[in-house]
Amino acid sequence: MSNEQTPQQGEELEAGVEIEQQAAEKVSDEEVVELTEDQQRIVELEAAVAAAEAKVAEQKDSVIRAMAESDNARKRAQGEIDKARKFALEKFAGELLPVADNLERALQVANPEDEAIKPVVDGVELTLKSFVSTIEKFGMSVIDPQGQPFNPEQHQAMSMQENAELPPNTVMAVMQKGYEINGRLLRPAMVMVTRAPEGGVDTQA
C-alpha cells in the first residue's frame, strides 16, 4: 500500500482542516459575544448602583435641609411667642404711667409738715410704692437718673443749666421719671442737664 496521497485525498484533507478552523472561529466569536454581554450587564448594574447611591444622597440632603428648616421655623416661632409674652402688656403699661405721675405730683405738692393731711400723704406714698412694686413684677422698671450722667438712650433733656458743683452732662433734676419694660424703653426720663460755662451737652441720641 502506497503512502502517497492522491490529489483527491489532499483536497479532502484541506477541506477538513478548513472546516475545523471555521468551527473554532465560530466558537471563539460566540465566547467574545458572550463576554461582551456580561461586561455590558456589569456596566449597567454599576450605573444603576451609582444612580441609586446618588438618589439616596440627594434624599438624605433633602431630609437634613427639611429638618434644619423645621428647627429654624420652630426657633422663630418660639422667639415670636417670647417676644409677644414680654411686650404684650406694653400698651397697657403705657396707659398706667399717668397714674404713677399723678401720685408723684401729689407727693411733691403735699406739705409733709401739715398734720391734717399727713394720713393722706402716707396713703398716697404707700399706694405709689405698691404700684411700682406691682409693675416691676411684670418686667417694668423705673428710670430715675438723678445725679447720673446724661444718657440719650434713656433720657430726654428738657433744658440745660450751668452748675459748678456737678460735672457737665450730669442730670441735676428729673422732671418726669422714665420707664422701661423688659429692657426696652417705654418712656424716656425728662431731665435737666448741667453744662459747663464754655460749652453744652449733646442731647442727640
Side-chain angles (χ1 to χ4, degrees):
M1 186 173 180
S2 174
N3 292 330
E4 294 182 0
Q5 294 179 350
T6 62
Q8 183 177 0
Q9 290 175 338
E11 291 177 358
E12 291 177 356
L13 182 58
E14 290 177 359
V17 172
E18 184 176 352
I19 291 173
E20 290 178 358
Q21 290 177 348
Q22 292 177 353
E25 291 176 358
K26 182 177 181 181
V27 172
S28 178
D29 291 341
E30 290 177 354
E31 289 177 353
V32 171
V33 171
E34 183 178 356
L35 182 60
T36 302
E37 290 178 353
D38 289 343
Q39 291 176 341
Q40 184 176 357
R41 181 59 177 166
I42 291 173
V43 171
E44 292 175 354
L45 291 174
E46 289 177 346
V49 170
E53 290 177 347
K55 187 67 175 178
V56 169
E58 180 181 353
Q59 292 178 347
K60 183 178 179 180
D61 291 340
S62 298
V63 171
I64 292 175
R65 285 195 299 270
M67 292 177 63
E69 291 175 359
S70 176
D71 187 57
N72 290 336
R74 181 186 61 79
K75 290 180 179 178
R76 285 195 299 270
Q78 186 62 43
E80 292 297 326
I81 292 173
D82 293 341
K83 184 177 179 180
R85 184 184 297 113
K86 284 183 178 180
F87 304 112
L89 297 177
E90 184 173 348
K91 184 176 181 180
F92 177 70
E95 295 296 329
L96 291 178
L97 297 186
V99 177
D101 295 338
N102 291 333
L103 291 173
E104 289 181 348
R105 291 191 188 99
L107 292 175
Q108 290 172 357
V109 299
N111 183 6
E113 303 298 330
D114 190 344
E115 293 294 331
I117 64 171
K118 190 176 186 304
V120 176
V121 173
D122 291 342
V124 173
E125 187 174 4
L126 289 174
T127 301
L128 178 59
K129 289 181 179 179
S130 177
F131 177 83
V132 172
S133 176
T134 300
I135 63 176
E136 285 178 347
K137 294 179 181 179
F138 292 92
M140 289 183 62
S141 58
V142 181
I143 301 175
D144 186 7
Q146 179 72 38
Q148 299 177 8
F150 177 78
N151 181 1
E153 294 183 357
Q154 292 185 332
H155 312 154
Q156 181 177 351
M158 305 302 295
S159 64
M160 293 182 295
Q161 183 175 330
E162 295 182 6
N163 190 299
E165 298 179 357
L166 296 174
N169 301 348
T170 299
V171 176
M172 63 179 298
V174 179
M175 302 173 183
Q176 186 179 67
K177 294 179 181 178
Y179 290 87
E180 60 182 4
I181 180 170
N182 293 310
R184 187 161 72 178
L185 185 66
L186 190 60
R187 186 184 74 183
M190 297 182 181
V191 299
M192 179 184 294
V193 185
T194 62
R195 66 180 176 87
E198 69 278 7
V201 58
D202 184 5
T203 60
Q204 300 298 319

